Amino acid sequence: MDTKQTAGSKPISGWILFLLAAACGLIVANLYYSQTLVGPISAATGLTSEASGFIVTLTQIGYVLGLLFIVPLSDIVENRRLVAIFLIVAFCALATASFAASAPLFLAASLFIGLGSVVAQILVPYATYLAPGPHQGRVVGNVMSGLLLGIMFARPVASFIAGLWKWQAVFALSAAAIALLTILLYRVLPERKPEPALSYGKLIVSLGSLLKQTPILRRRAAYQACLFGAFSLFWTVVPLYLADEFGLTQQGIAWFALAGVGGAIAAPIAGRLADKGWTRFLTGLALSVAALSFVLAYLVPGHSTASLILLVFAAILLDMAVSGNLVLGQRAVYSLGNEAKGRLNGLFMAIFFIGGAAGSSLGGWSYAHGGWNFTSLIGIIVPVLALVYFFTEKRTSITVGSRKHEQFISKL
């Protein structure tokens, strides 16, 4: 039980919902600015093309560390103060990245950008505490729409700004935005102070038990890890492919990335349909669509305008699959109980971001050694493996597992 805010005690206001969605978008965008800037950042800091994937990978590793060791704190620490502290960490890291001239300094800043940006995954479950139970799918879908728009707008915005000024301006402007956001959130958000049932050490130790005792968490995290790995693979490599094979400048890459924003429309739709019991069907659809998007990418013929349009369509399909399945997964995980919502969300996000970090690293390697076709083949295989695992899911086993988890979580 929270001392300041009871979950679902009253409907969440439209203003607070909008603020949370916008905040999540601005914060999580920090993880993706570097994806379309890998080329200029590598040139400026002296990284080789094969090592350039570490720019994105280290940011995601920082995010995973935050998910495992910071997000669980939201179950025992006042959430608004926790948010402010780690937004300050993100601000300092972004400011450092904006003037970093060497690879070690920039990579260190990238790690802490990921660590501080984990605040987005404190705010998403925070929103569900303010929402009535029957509408949590809608609330998660709306907040995740903001987060996903941040992910998808980050790439084109970064390219546009880098084209107008330099890549350093992207991180400087983001640092200023995060500073203003920190002040606004601290002043506007309602206080939410949990009653700690565990010490921090026991809280972290309990993560293993939660993962072991929660089949829904394991499955949803595995599905999303595969999809996010494919997503990171695609968006790490496609800017290089567009520059090498189509001759696109940073501005052209920005317009391409902007087209992918259309995929965010799947998030609120998935949330509403999940409230109506469509989760299983939509999961299978998302995994199938992700595989299809890479089939289209593999079949891109030559360097014509038609080829580029086909590649844009593949990007939109992939983004729709990833964003829709993310909302389905988070809704399922959040329904397991309020007592450990922060830890459950941290585990879920950490597992699938490990998939994302692996995808980023694999993308740099596969493109360097086998080109676009080899990368696309890997992109097909990953969601197909998730689809095979999906077909082993049994409704009865998941239902029984969720009941066991409810009994288990009530003891924590």
Side-chain angles (χ1 to χ4, degrees):
M1 180 72 69
D2 300 333
T3 59
K4 297 295 182 180
Q5 178 69 43
T6 302
S9 58
K10 59 182 179 179
I12 187 171
S13 71
W15 154 242
I16 294 294
L17 185 59
F18 174 78
L19 176 62
L20 290 170
C24 286
L26 286 171
I27 294 165
V28 82
N30 293 319
L31 302 174
Y32 300 95
Y33 289 135
S34 59
Q35 280 192 336
T36 54
L37 303 177
V38 166
I41 292 173
S42 297
T45 59
L47 279 171
T48 65
S49 58
E50 193 166 354
S52 62
F54 285 110
I55 294 173
V56 179
T57 300
L58 274 174
T59 306
Q60 292 175 334
I61 289 173
Y63 200 65
V64 168
L65 291 174
L67 290 165
L68 291 175
F69 298 105
I70 296 171
V71 171
L73 281 170
S74 64
D75 288 336
I76 61 173
V77 175
E78 199 282 304
N79 286 189
R80 187 176 59 179
R81 181 158 54 92
L82 188 64
V83 164
I85 289 170
F86 284 97
L87 281 180
I88 292 171
V89 171
F91 164 78
C92 294
L94 287 162
T96 300
S98 69
F99 63 76
S102 66
L105 184 59
F106 186 86
L107 292 175
S110 297
L111 184 71
F112 281 94
I113 287 172
L115 193 70
S117 298
V118 81
V119 166
Q121 295 308 323
I122 298 173
L123 293 177
V124 176
Y126 173 88
T128 69
Y129 284 104
L130 306 180
H135 303 291
Q136 284 194 358
R138 178 183 65 83
V139 170
V140 171
N142 287 338
V143 174
M144 288 303 297
S145 291
L147 185 146
L148 291 163
L149 284 171
I151 292 174
M152 295 172 186
F153 271 115
R155 294 181 294 266
V157 166
S159 291
F160 279 128
I161 292 173
L164 290 173
W165 297 300
K166 292 183 178 180
W167 64 264
Q168 290 90 339
V170 175
F171 297 95
L173 290 172
S174 183
I178 293 299
L180 293 173
L181 185 63
T182 304
I183 297 169
L184 181 61
L185 289 176
Y186 193 77
R187 292 179 63 89
V188 170
L189 289 183
E191 186 180 28
R192 184 200 161 241
K193 188 176 181 180
E195 291 182 351
L198 297 172
S199 66
Y200 178 70
K202 291 182 178 178
L203 194 77
I204 297 302
V205 171
S206 72
L207 293 176
S209 299
L210 282 172
L211 185 62
K212 182 180 179 181
Q213 297 290 335
T214 316
I216 295 177
L217 172 63
R218 295 196 301 270
R219 278 194 170 271
R220 297 307 319 189
Y223 299 154
Q224 195 64 23
C226 289
L227 286 186
F228 200 61
F231 176 89
S232 295
L233 178 105
F234 181 88
W235 284 108
T236 297
V237 172
V238 80
L240 302 174
Y241 179 62
L242 292 171
D244 293 344
E245 301 299 326
F246 290 87
L248 266 61
T249 62
Q250 281 296 136
Q251 297 290 338
I253 294 170
W255 284 112
F256 178 91
L258 190 61
V261 173
I265 193 175
I269 295 172
R272 285 166 172 78
L273 291 177
D275 284 340
K276 298 179 180 180
W278 287 59
T279 298
R280 182 178 172 83
F281 169 78
L282 292 174
T283 299
L285 181 62
L287 297 174
S288 301
V289 168
L292 175 62
S293 68
F294 273 99
V295 171
L296 292 177
Y298 180 80
L299 295 175
V300 169
H303 316 303
S304 65
T305 302
S307 301
L308 191 57
I309 292 172
L310 189 63
L311 198 58
V312 168
F313 187 54
I316 294 172
L317 286 178
L318 179 61
D319 287 3
M320 288 182 69
V322 174
S323 62
N325 195 67
L326 177 56
V327 171
L328 298 174
Q330 286 192 297
R331 184 188 182 278
V333 170
Y334 294 160
S335 69
L336 296 174
N338 287 333
E339 294 87 349
K341 194 172 287 187
R343 281 168 285 168
L344 290 167
N345 185 57
L347 281 168
F348 173 71
M349 300 296 292
I351 291 169
F352 92 68
F353 259 87
I354 290 171
S360 297
S361 296
L362 191 58
W365 174 83
S366 64
Y367 188 68
H369 290 85
W372 179 253
N373 284 346
F374 183 43
T375 302
S376 298
L377 282 174
I378 295 174
I380 294 170
I381 292 169
V382 173
V384 167
L385 290 175
L387 193 60
V388 171
Y389 182 46
F390 168 74
F391 286 130
T392 69
E393 180 179 312
K394 296 179 180 178
R395 296 172 189 260
T396 52
S397 64
I398 292 297
T399 301
V400 171
S402 65
R403 288 173 181 169
K404 287 181 179 178
H405 173 76
E406 287 173 1
Q407 297 169 358
F408 168 75
I409 196 67
S410 65
K411 300 175 183 178
L412 294 182

